[in-house]
Amino acid sequence: MSNFFSKAEVTSSGRPVFLRNEVERHLLSGVDLEPEDYRFSPLKSGILILTTHRLLWLPSSSATTLTSASSIPLASISHIFSKKSLKSVFHSPRIRFQFLVSSDGRVFDPGSGSGSGSSTGSGSRSVVVTAVVRGKGDCDGFLVKFWDSWRARAWESNETTGSGSGLASGSGAGTGTGGGLYSTDGSVRMVGVAGILRKEQEIWESTDKSLQDAFQDLNALMSKAKEMVMLAEKMRQKLLAGTSSQTSGTNDEEMGSKEEMQDWLLSVGIISPVTKESAGALYHQQLSRQLADFVRTPLERAGGMINLIDAYCLFNRARGTELISPDDMLQACSLWEKFDVPVMLRKFDSRVMVIQNKSHSDEEVFARIKSLATKPEALRNGISPTDAAMTLGIAPAMAKEHLLTAENKGLLCRDISPDGFRFYINLFPEIDPFNIYLRLKATRCFAEFSVKDYGICITWIKAVSTSG
Amino acid sequence: MQKLGDFKLPHFFNYPPYFTLQPVKETREKQIQLWKELILDYCRTQKIFVIKLEEEFPLFSNSVIERTLSHEAREAFLSALVAEGRSEWLDKGRRSCLILWHRIQDWADIIVNFVKDNGFEDSVMTVEEIRSGIESRGTELHGIDRTILMRALKLLEQKGKLAIFKGTSTDDEGIKFSV
């Protein structure tokens, strides 16, 4: 069987030895070569290499040493079948091709023997072989290149160029004349459509190579970084082990240095969660408590509610140097749920986030808003966020949030005009659609009853009419 | 009490939030209800049959408190009327709205009563005569919108109470009653 194909020379590391001007085009692994008529026993699970001149089959490294590398010259290939069939959906992709066999039963090799480029020998028959691709390679790409290489007939131009330069005068190294892909100095010439394709291929290959080189550097960097991270992890583990096994008799110095180590680790960017359910890093816990303490004074000054952004600015300004990120701020506030602190984070419908006292009561605020909105002045002209801010003693932005919340509860309704955005006490629920002119009911007791119902309406009418 | 022409306006017409489309669902529902009633009332007393959204409409502004309904608000209230069947859009762009302060069926009944009251059971009249003839003066039919009148007449035709036939000119369609 191994005598059927020509033997391909292989280097000591298992790579094929290429002919002069032969270039590797594609490689597929896990390929079986199976003849259609059992002329030779199948070659199993090897590497199929397509070059500009030959098809090479190398046994896989696990194969026995008896199987040697084989080659089929592209010149002896007489036909490549297109492989579309229904079967191909279910089976491994296959490549079928046909090549000529010379009279001695072996693959016809035009390179050997006469070398005059006659494509058919006497008495040659043809063999059809199927290459079954069981590996993961790009079979379609291989097929395309197979066609290309076969049609390009690189081996012929090699010969003609070889003979051409022989005829030319002088043995000097001229640049390749004559047709064909290859010039005399062995470099590939760019000729015709094949040449363009070749050029594209080369550009792509060189880009690929330079990318690979670049990534080599990056890989080196990453492997180093990996080492660093592992080192840091080890230290962290040691620290944790050390902390958990501490007895009360530890001296403070050790504790201090351990905390220092922890901080240093944190600054490198490694958060150390003890467990997932726990309150997160010690750093964030401390920060959270510190923030809760700090925020008390501004809260009082701001009337019990302060915008998160404002709190963030105040906090960082107070810290002076070791500023915290917005993320840290958010984390610290979220941790408050787990501790017993008198402050909480609150998110409004408008997605504004505020810090407020736990003792803060919405109801109380609404009561104050209602009393503000029912004053005669407010009945006539409504209230603006600024008015509310002054009365409630809080920032206008916070006041607006409160007014919007009150509106949502049906306590107020809005009035949008060129004068701006104002709120009025909500009269709509009081208005009776069947008595829009407020005709009082006939009997006296009913009259008293109805006046009470329309209490706020009457008040409003009175307030409005006194304005003239 | 404030008036718009001879129309008596309700007290909440001077309530500024009445002119701003309210976002809160319950408040808005009440607001829409009040506006629907007001529009129908106003159109009935003023005999207005068509409202054009982009034109000035006295009901939609209040100069005392300096407020005007936005286009969005007008569309919202009129759409609510359409949904209730008391109104119809006359064009796809929703710029013009037919107000049915009497439903078509009600108009049909009014026509039948008119016919009976005046003894026109078997006679013939033109459409114009119904709208603006001497007999209709003082009734609700006087000055009725032509589109609405035709719809009501067609409804009666389907019920077999009358027959519509073309006259000598397009203006002069005739009605033969068989009430």
Side-chain angles (χ1 to χ4, degrees):
Chain A
M1 55 200 147
S2 52
N3 292 328
F4 186 73
F5 294 112
S6 317
K7 190 158 183 276
E9 272 186 46
V10 163
T11 66
S12 53
S13 46
R15 288 283 298 159
V17 174
F18 290 125
L19 306 172
R20 181 168 163 262
N21 296 332
E22 185 183 25
V23 177
E24 183 181 326
R25 304 283 327 271
H26 205 110
L27 191 148
L28 286 175
S29 62
V31 178
D32 300 355
L33 284 183
E34 296 172 0
E36 293 228 328
D37 56 354
Y38 310 100
R39 198 171 299 242
F40 57 88
S41 51
L43 301 173
K44 289 273 184 212
S45 200
I47 296 176
L48 189 67
I49 300 180
L50 169 74
T51 72
T52 44
H53 290 57
R54 299 178 290 171
L55 262 184
L56 300 167
W57 188 91
L58 305 177
S60 63
S61 42
S62 52
T64 58
T65 46
L66 286 178
T67 333
S68 57
S70 317
S71 82
I72 304 170
L74 291 184
S76 60
I77 291 183
S78 54
H79 198 76
I80 303 177
F81 297 95
S82 62
K83 68 176 188 64
K84 294 293 177 228
S85 77
L86 205 58
K87 270 202 270 178
S88 61
V89 176
F90 302 104
H91 298 292
S92 313
R94 279 139 209 265
I95 301 173
R96 283 173 76 221
F97 55 95
Q98 179 186 46
F99 56 87
L100 300 168
V101 171
S102 59
S103 42
D104 62 353
R106 300 186 60 213
V107 175
F108 182 76
D109 189 351
S112 60
S114 58
S116 59
S118 57
S119 49
T120 50
S122 53
S124 56
R125 290 155 295 160
S126 50
V127 177
V128 177
V129 168
T130 308
V132 183
V133 183
R134 298 195 199 278
K136 283 207 193 93
D138 177 16
C139 198
D140 286 321
F142 187 100
L143 195 61
V144 168
K145 286 185 183 156
F146 195 10
W147 274 96
D148 285 351
S149 305
W150 184 52
R151 278 194 296 238
R153 306 190 79 83
W155 54 94
E156 276 176 13
S157 47
N158 216 16
E159 293 162 16
T160 52
T161 321
S163 53
S165 59
L167 286 175
S169 57
S171 58
T175 51
T177 52
L181 275 176
Y182 295 96
S183 39
T184 38
D185 57 359
S187 63
V188 181
R189 274 168 41 102
M190 307 300 173
V191 171
V193 177
I196 295 171
L197 289 173
R198 190 108 195 91
K199 194 169 185 181
E200 292 286 297
Q201 175 78 0
E202 278 197 4
I203 292 170
W204 184 87
E205 273 169 15
S206 77
T207 315
D208 193 37
K209 187 163 186 309
S210 60
L211 272 175
Q212 277 190 13
D213 286 345
F215 275 115
Q216 293 292 30
D217 293 342
L218 205 61
N219 283 337
L221 182 66
M222 272 169 62
S223 62
K224 282 279 176 272
K226 216 173 176 179
E227 286 173 26
M228 287 299 294
V229 171
M230 288 191 60
L231 180 65
E233 276 295 303
K234 277 198 198 131
M235 294 177 77
R236 183 179 75 82
Q237 294 290 1
K238 284 228 172 63
L239 263 179
L240 281 175
T243 332
S244 56
S245 63
Q246 288 302 335
T247 55
S248 52
T250 322
N251 58 10
D252 292 313
E253 216 183 279
E254 251 190 58
M255 277 303 272
S257 70
K258 282 210 194 315
E259 280 189 11
E260 228 182 284
M261 189 63 81
Q262 191 97 322
D263 281 333
W264 175 80
L265 271 182
L266 205 53
S267 69
V268 175
I270 299 164
I271 319 283
S272 59
V274 179
T275 63
K276 276 206 174 120
E277 288 82 38
S278 81
L282 197 61
Y283 169 73
H284 278 122
Q285 287 189 38
Q286 298 296 351
L287 185 67
S288 178
R289 291 187 195 275
Q290 191 183 50
L291 182 64
D293 285 333
F294 169 78
V295 92
R296 284 240 212 98
T297 328
L299 261 185
E300 267 184 53
R301 257 182 310 170
M305 188 180 284
I306 184 171
N307 198 327
L308 185 65
I309 298 171
D310 294 340
Y312 173 69
C313 294
L314 287 171
F315 192 47
N316 263 341
R317 199 186 302 165
R319 281 172 75 93
T321 49
E322 293 162 6
L323 307 182
I324 62 169
S325 72
D327 249 351
D328 286 335
M329 181 81 179
L330 213 53
Q331 275 256 35
C333 292
S334 330
L335 283 180
W336 285 338
E337 296 176 347
K338 304 207 166 91
F339 305 147
D340 190 20
V341 287
V343 288
M344 57 180 271
L345 183 69
R346 176 181 174 172
K347 197 170 180 182
F348 281 105
D349 288 335
S350 54
R351 292 187 302 196
V352 167
M353 290 204 273
V354 299
I355 297 175
Q356 69 180 42
N357 277 318
K358 264 190 187 152
S359 60
H360 175 275
S361 136
D362 273 350
E363 298 306 321
E364 194 238 346
V365 174
F366 290 156
R368 288 166 75 189
I369 288 177
K370 186 171 180 185
S371 74
L372 174 66
T374 46
K375 292 198 164 56
E377 178 61 37
L379 285 176
R380 278 197 290 273
N381 298 320
I383 50 180
S384 71
T386 327
D387 298 333
M390 284 197 299
T391 310
L392 298 173
I394 58 180
M398 296 294 101
K400 188 166 184 182
E401 290 303 320
H402 281 307
L403 292 175
L404 287 171
T405 317
E407 182 193 35
N408 262 327
K409 288 237 162 2
L411 189 65
L412 301 174
C413 45
R414 61 172 64 181
D415 165 45
I416 300 175
S417 73
D419 296 336
F421 201 129
R422 300 182 80 81
F423 290 90
Y424 285 75
I425 191 88
N426 189 3
L427 291 180
F428 282 108
E430 314 288 334
I431 302 172
D432 175 5
F434 300 111
N435 193 357
I436 59 177
Y437 301 108
L438 283 188
R439 282 181 264 274
L440 297 179
K441 299 277 201 278
T443 63
R444 212 168 19 164
C445 55
F446 270 129
E448 282 168 16
F449 185 71
S450 339
V451 166
K452 271 213 207 102
D453 279 341
Y454 301 123
I456 186 66
C457 284
I458 305 269
T459 318
W460 177 73
I461 291 172
K462 279 200 193 136
V464 169
S465 46
T466 51
S467 66
Chain B
M1 192 61 63
Q2 197 174 331
K3 284 193 173 185
L4 206 59
D6 58 351
F7 180 72
K8 198 162 101 173
L9 289 166
H11 62 93
F12 53 80
F13 197 72
N14 282 342
Y15 180 51
Y18 189 58
F19 284 83
T20 304
L21 191 60
Q22 295 295 319
V24 177
K25 186 162 163 253
E26 272 179 43
T27 318
R28 181 197 284 234
E29 279 169 8
K30 190 62 179 286
Q31 184 189 28
I32 287 180
Q33 188 192 10
L34 293 173
W35 268 107
K36 281 197 302 193
E37 305 275 341
L38 189 62
I39 292 172
L40 285 178
D41 247 350
Y42 183 73
C43 289
R44 183 189 355 258
T45 56
Q46 308 298 308
K47 288 220 165 189
I48 294 172
F49 297 93
V50 175
I51 296 181
K52 290 204 164 79
L53 267 77
E54 272 146 28
E55 286 176 9
E56 287 257 339
F57 190 61
L59 195 65
F60 290 159
S61 309
N62 184 340
S63 50
V64 173
I65 57 169
E66 290 172 342
R67 296 284 185 272
T68 311
L69 279 183
S70 68
H71 186 98
E72 193 197 345
R74 295 180 195 204
E75 215 189 299
F77 302 138
L78 288 171
S79 299
L81 272 177
V82 172
E84 210 187 298
R86 302 306 297 265
S87 179
E88 280 175 18
W89 291 111
L90 286 172
D91 64 326
K92 270 208 167 66
R94 296 193 174 193
R95 286 193 303 264
S96 200
C97 198
L98 189 70
I99 309 295
L100 301 169
W101 36 269
H102 278 311
R103 294 180 200 275
I104 302 286
Q105 180 55 56
D106 299 333
W107 282 115
D109 293 340
I110 290 170
I111 293 172
V112 167
N113 288 333
F114 168 73
V115 165
K116 286 189 178 153
D117 288 344
N118 287 292
F120 289 144
E121 282 89 343
D122 289 312
S123 44
V124 175
M125 283 180 84
T126 66
V127 172
E128 269 310 303
E129 280 176 332
I130 298 177
R131 279 187 75 220
S132 49
I134 304 173
E135 290 88 355
S136 63
R137 273 203 219 131
T139 69
E140 287 189 291
L141 285 176
H142 196 81
I144 184 178
D145 178 87
R146 204 190 151 83
T147 320
I148 294 179
L149 180 58
M150 290 312 298
R151 296 264 294 270
L153 290 172
K154 289 213 170 82
L155 183 63
L156 286 171
E157 189 182 38
Q158 279 172 5
K159 293 198 178 153
K161 305 263 182 187
L162 51 86
I164 306 174
F165 55 91
K166 284 228 180 295
T168 47
S169 66
T170 45
D171 281 339
D172 240 354
E173 284 170 295
I175 314 289
K176 164 91 174 69
F177 295 107
S178 43
V179 167

